[in-house]
Amino acid sequence: LHCDWVMIGGKKPREEGDRLTLDELTATGAPPRTIRFWLLSTNYRKPLTFSAERIEAAQRSLERIDACIAHLRQVRQGESFADLNQILYDIKQGFVTAMDDDLNISAALSSIFKVIRKVNILARDQKIDCDDALKIIEALRNIDSVLQVMDFGDQAASPEAADLLRQREQARAEKSWQLADRLREELRSLGISVRDRQIQPKKP
C-alpha cells in the first residue's frame, strides 16, 4: 500500500541499481517480521527511510510487544482488574480510530504502546489475573489480524497443550460439554485462550 519513496542514505534512488529490492533487504539478516513492521510503520503517503538504525528500532519495538505478550501468558495469579473493560476498549478503539483517520499508523502504534506500558505495570504488580491476561491477549490478536507482526508463542505450544487441544476438539465433536469445559480450563491454566468454532451438523 505504501505509495511514496523508500529513501536510502537520505536520498531518493534515481537509478534502477540504487533501488533496494526485497531480496537485498532480506539479505541484511533482518527477520521477515521485523521487515514487515518497518514497512508498515510509516504512513503510506510519506517517504519511508531505510537504514540499519531504522531496522534495529523496528526490532526493539517488536521486542517490547513480544515481552508484554510473553508476560501476559505467564500470569497465573493476581487480582481481577476492575477497569479491564476500559483497557480492552482502549486497545480496540485506539487502533480503529487511528486507522480510520487516513490509515494513521503512527497514532495506531502509539495507542498500542500506551496500553502496553499500562499492562506491563499491572502484570508486574499482580493487579490482573489469568482471565484478564487472556482477554488482553485476545484483544491484541484481533489487532494483529491486520498487522500480522506479533508473536503469541503459538508455534512453541507444548506437546501437552497440543494433546489437550485435540482432546477438547474430540469432546466437542461428541458433545461432551462438561469434558470440553474442563479441558478448556486446563488450557487456560497453561496460558492458552481457546476460541471455539461453530460445530457443523453432520450431513445425513
Side-chain angles (χ1 to χ4, degrees), residues 130-173:
C130 182
D131 285 346
D132 294 344
L134 291 174
K135 289 176 182 177
I136 294 170
I137 289 173
E138 191 63 25
L140 292 172
R141 279 188 189 274
N142 289 335
I143 286 177
D144 197 51
S145 66
V146 178
L147 301 177
Q148 297 185 22
V149 295
M150 299 182 190
D151 182 5
F152 294 94
D154 299 328
Q155 300 303 317
S158 67
E160 176 190 3
D163 186 54
L164 288 173
L165 286 167
R166 284 193 295 269
Q167 291 182 44
R168 189 168 185 276
E169 284 298 308
Q170 182 65 31
R172 294 185 70 245

Side-chain angles (χ1 to χ4, degrees), residues 80-93:
S80 181
F81 187 58
D83 290 332
L84 179 67
N85 286 337
Q86 183 63 51
I87 289 180
L88 300 178
Y89 176 86
D90 290 343
I91 292 173
K92 176 182 178 181
Q93 205 56 40

Side-chain angles (χ1 to χ4, degrees), residues 2-190:
H2 191 262
C3 301
D4 212 304
W5 289 95
V6 175
M7 310 288 283
I8 302 175
K11 299 179 181 179
K12 298 178 181 178
R14 296 297 183 182
E15 299 179 2
E16 191 70 27
D18 294 334
R19 296 177 185 174
L20 182 68
T21 68
L22 189 57
D23 286 340
E24 291 168 340
L25 187 55
T26 305
T28 64
R33 193 164 61 102
T34 301
I35 294 172
R36 179 177 175 82
F37 186 82
W38 167 68
L39 288 170
L40 63 77
S41 61
T42 298
N43 184 276
Y44 72 97
R45 292 188 292 106
K46 295 182 179 179
L48 178 64
T49 301
F50 169 77
S51 69
E53 291 76 16
R54 297 293 179 110
I55 297 296
E56 290 171 3
Q59 181 63 38
R60 288 194 299 271
S61 294
L62 273 181
E63 288 171 354
R64 288 177 59 195
I65 299 174
D66 291 347
C68 179
I69 294 172
H71 199 172
L72 288 170
R73 286 170 58 87
Q74 294 168 6
V75 170
R76 295 292 181 269
Q77 60 184 9
E79 57 188 80
S80 181
F81 187 58
D83 290 332
L84 179 67
N85 286 337
Q86 183 63 51
I87 289 180
L88 300 178
Y89 176 86
D90 290 343
I91 292 173
K92 176 182 178 181
Q93 205 56 40
F95 184 79
V96 170
T97 299
M99 295 301 282
D100 281 348
D101 181 20
D102 193 25
L103 301 181
N104 189 345
I105 189 66
S106 295
L109 293 176
S110 177
S111 73
I112 293 173
F113 285 112
K114 181 178 179 180
V115 171
I116 282 177
R117 284 193 295 272
K118 184 173 184 178
V119 168
N120 282 337
I121 294 171
L122 292 173
R124 181 197 65 197
D125 296 341
Q126 294 189 332
K127 292 186 176 180
I128 56 175
D129 60 17
C130 182
D131 285 346
D132 294 344
L134 291 174
K135 289 176 182 177
I136 294 170
I137 289 173
E138 191 63 25
L140 292 172
R141 279 188 189 274
N142 289 335
I143 286 177
D144 197 51
S145 66
V146 178
L147 301 177
Q148 297 185 22
V149 295
M150 299 182 190
D151 182 5
F152 294 94
D154 299 328
Q155 300 303 317
S158 67
E160 176 190 3
D163 186 54
L164 288 173
L165 286 167
R166 284 193 295 269
Q167 291 182 44
R168 189 168 185 276
E169 284 298 308
Q170 182 65 31
R172 294 185 70 245
E174 296 174 355
K175 298 185 178 181
S176 300
W177 306 122
Q178 288 186 340
L179 175 58
D181 288 345
R182 181 176 63 78
L183 291 169
R184 179 178 60 191
E185 291 308 310
E186 289 188 41
L187 287 162
R188 288 169 75 88
S189 71
L190 296 174

